[in-house]
Amino acid sequence: MTPENEAAARYFSAITAALSGLEVFMRDDRSPLYRHGIVAKIVAEYIARLDKSFSCWRNRLGFMDTFRISRADSGYPVFQNLLELENDRRQADSRLANIPQGGELREEMADFILRHKEFPAALQKSMAERLYLEDVKSEATFGPFILAQTAKVSVNPKTLRPYYLVHWASFDGSANLPLVYMVTVEDSSESMVRQLVDANGKLNERVDIPLPVDGLLNPELAHRFDDFTEKNSAYTLSPATIAVNLDKDFEPLHPKQLRRVVLGPFYSAGITENNSTVTEVLAKVRKSENAWLLTWTIQEVFSKAEKPGRRGLFSSEKTTQEFFINTDDLEAARQGVSSYENHALIPHEAYQALYAAGEAQKIFSGYKVHILSNGQVISDV
């Protein structure tokens, strides 16, 4: 195995272990994030997509020589890899038609070994390509942009408007980071209020809503909403900016809360160079599959009040939200949020190494630390 292949194998083992551990954390009813219920469930679904992408990329290495990651910044694959994955998904059927079936390839490989007493490298590449294309066809990967879904519908008893929990995701091409967005938005469209709110001010039980629904539940705004989310999902935009833009661009929509989950950076011994102290300590971890650290940030901005709109003969103003920015916290003000949480997930062996080196307190200052041990996540350490 070449040094490049060894490094790739270590990287894939580490990131797969990290994402699996993070998914365990998100789905564990004992985890501190589980109090958000549906939020943790939604994030876990996107983590599963990321995991699927890495499974595909690992297969791709069987027939392609290059795979680039953002070593000095996020620790994730560079954006080009996602574009190639998406392109391969679209072309999968036509390419598979030109590759023999798996059973046929296995027979040819066995026959080649018997006749030539050599490893059938070309046939192995064809098999790897077939496995990759069959995997990538599923559409369950984490693409450059993942369209919105409505995950929950209810009615605000005070405003008597229906509200939706809508989520979407993107992979930021500049920061090379996966981003998950969730917004709770009230809808004052007359047609939606009429359909969804009953005479008692509750959700109309006679309307069948097969959740999750692709896109925004309001069909008149769904396409515009998709366009908006695709243009307003950059990491450089603060959650407050995105919420204000949404409030401004859609007269009947009233965003009450917007969350962004930034899944990274990721640190891996011998691979990433995004933190010299972490890299040096992780390099001392005995088992390479335990020499990693995954961080994530949950950002939130919420509306503290609603300014009523007015309609006049010559001019009118739409109802607008007043979003709360915590200016008492300099970091919250810098991020453009009401609140934020920094989290870190690390294997037990790696945490012990950081602790023994006297670096744990400094590295994890301001973070909620979660330790992965024997397939379980221990929090509040």
Side-chain angles (χ1 to χ4, degrees):
M1 186 180 281
T2 66
E4 291 80 6
N5 285 344
E6 284 183 12
R10 286 203 314 275
Y11 176 75
F12 280 111
S13 294
I15 192 73
T16 299
L19 293 175
S20 297
L22 185 54
E23 192 172 3
V24 166
F25 172 76
M26 292 294 173
R27 296 190 188 277
D28 188 348
D29 58 7
R30 293 167 299 176
S31 86
L33 193 63
Y34 202 81
R35 69 183 184 273
H36 295 302
I38 196 170
V39 173
K41 181 175 178 290
I42 288 167
V43 176
E45 291 170 4
Y46 287 111
I47 294 166
R49 281 176 169 267
L50 266 177
D51 200 34
K52 185 69 171 176
S53 292
F54 279 100
S55 172
C56 292
W57 282 321
R58 191 194 287 254
N59 282 335
R60 194 172 188 267
L61 274 181
F63 64 96
M64 297 290 285
D65 295 329
T66 58
F67 184 80
R68 290 179 57 225
I69 66 166
S70 175
R71 297 179 63 184
D73 295 305
S74 71
Y76 275 91
V78 298
F79 190 61
Q80 182 65 26
N81 290 300
L82 279 92
L83 296 176
E84 290 171 356
L85 201 66
E86 185 69 12
N87 187 55
D88 289 345
R89 183 181 67 77
R90 291 175 181 152
Q91 297 178 0
D93 285 326
S94 60
R95 285 171 59 181
L96 280 167
N98 296 316
I99 302 174
Q101 293 294 324
E104 188 181 333
L105 283 169
R106 289 185 190 93
E107 287 180 10
E108 286 186 37
M109 289 169 73
D111 183 61
F112 185 95
I113 292 169
L114 288 171
R115 285 190 295 110
H116 299 279
K117 303 292 188 286
E118 293 177 11
F119 184 76
L123 290 169
Q124 177 66 24
K125 281 194 172 186
S126 293
M127 177 63 85
E129 186 172 4
R130 169 162 279 281
L131 289 172
Y132 165 75
L133 292 169
E134 287 175 346
D135 231 11
V136 84
K137 266 178 64 176
S138 67
E139 293 193 34
T141 54
F142 198 107
F145 181 76
I146 302 170
L147 288 167
Q149 278 192 337
T150 300
K152 181 181 176 182
V153 184
S154 194
V155 174
N156 184 333
K158 294 181 180 178
T159 62
L160 299 181
R161 298 171 183 156
Y163 69 85
Y164 324 127
L165 174 60
V166 187
H167 61 89
W168 68 95
S170 72
F171 193 96
D172 187 272
S174 298
N176 290 307
L177 281 168
L179 309 172
V180 178
Y181 289 92
M182 281 164 267
V183 65
T184 302
V185 58
E186 292 184 10
D187 189 345
S188 60
S189 306
E190 288 184 17
S191 59
M192 298 307 289
V193 172
R194 192 166 54 248
Q195 285 182 62
L196 297 177
V197 184
D198 67 16
N200 298 314
K202 295 184 177 179
L203 191 64
N204 189 347
E205 294 181 354
R206 291 178 296 177
V207 178
D208 181 33
I209 306 172
L211 296 171
V213 173
D214 286 341
L216 184 74
L217 190 64
N218 186 328
E220 294 178 2
L221 301 177
H223 287 303
R224 272 185 59 209
F225 188 84
D226 284 343
D227 289 341
F228 172 87
T229 52
E230 192 162 6
K231 292 171 183 172
N232 287 267
S233 293
Y235 183 53
T236 52
L237 295 176
S238 72
T241 299
I242 297 169
V244 167
N245 289 347
L246 178 59
D247 189 38
K248 181 179 67 177
D249 288 5
F250 294 85
E251 186 167 347
L253 297 183
H254 315 279
K256 296 298 181 179
Q257 180 189 53
L258 185 137
R259 277 195 186 94
R260 176 166 69 187
V261 182
V262 183
L263 293 170
F266 173 69
Y267 308 88
S268 178
I271 308 292
T272 59
E273 302 164 349
N274 34 13
N275 185 306
S276 58
T277 303
V278 173
T279 299
E280 286 172 19
V281 179
L282 289 181
K284 299 172 185 175
V285 175
R286 187 168 51 88
K287 293 183 179 178
S288 60
E289 64 268 27
N290 290 334
W292 55 264
L293 164 64
L294 177 64
T295 62
W296 71 95
T297 302
I298 303 172
Q299 301 170 309
E300 178 186 335
V301 63
F302 62 83
S303 171
K304 63 179 180 179
E306 183 172 284
K307 181 183 176 184
R310 64 175 183 83
R311 293 188 180 276
L313 193 59
F314 299 106
S315 66
S316 62
E317 292 180 2
K318 77 178 290 288
T319 301
T320 55
Q321 306 302 310
E322 293 180 27
F323 294 103
F324 171 66
I325 303 298
N326 186 2
T327 52
D328 292 335
D329 184 324
L330 291 178
E331 183 58 22
R334 185 191 70 79
Q335 293 183 27
V337 295
S338 310
S339 64
Y340 67 96
E341 293 178 4
N342 291 323
H343 293 261
L345 178 69
I346 186 169
H348 186 254
E349 186 184 353
Y351 182 79
Q352 282 186 316
L354 288 170
Y355 190 83
E359 299 289 352
Q361 189 171 359
K362 181 174 70 175
I363 288 169
F364 295 122
S365 175
Y367 282 81
K368 297 183 179 182
V369 182
H370 316 284
I371 296 176
L372 182 64
S373 179
N374 298 321
Q376 292 188 321
V377 177
I378 305 160
S379 298
D380 303 320
V381 294

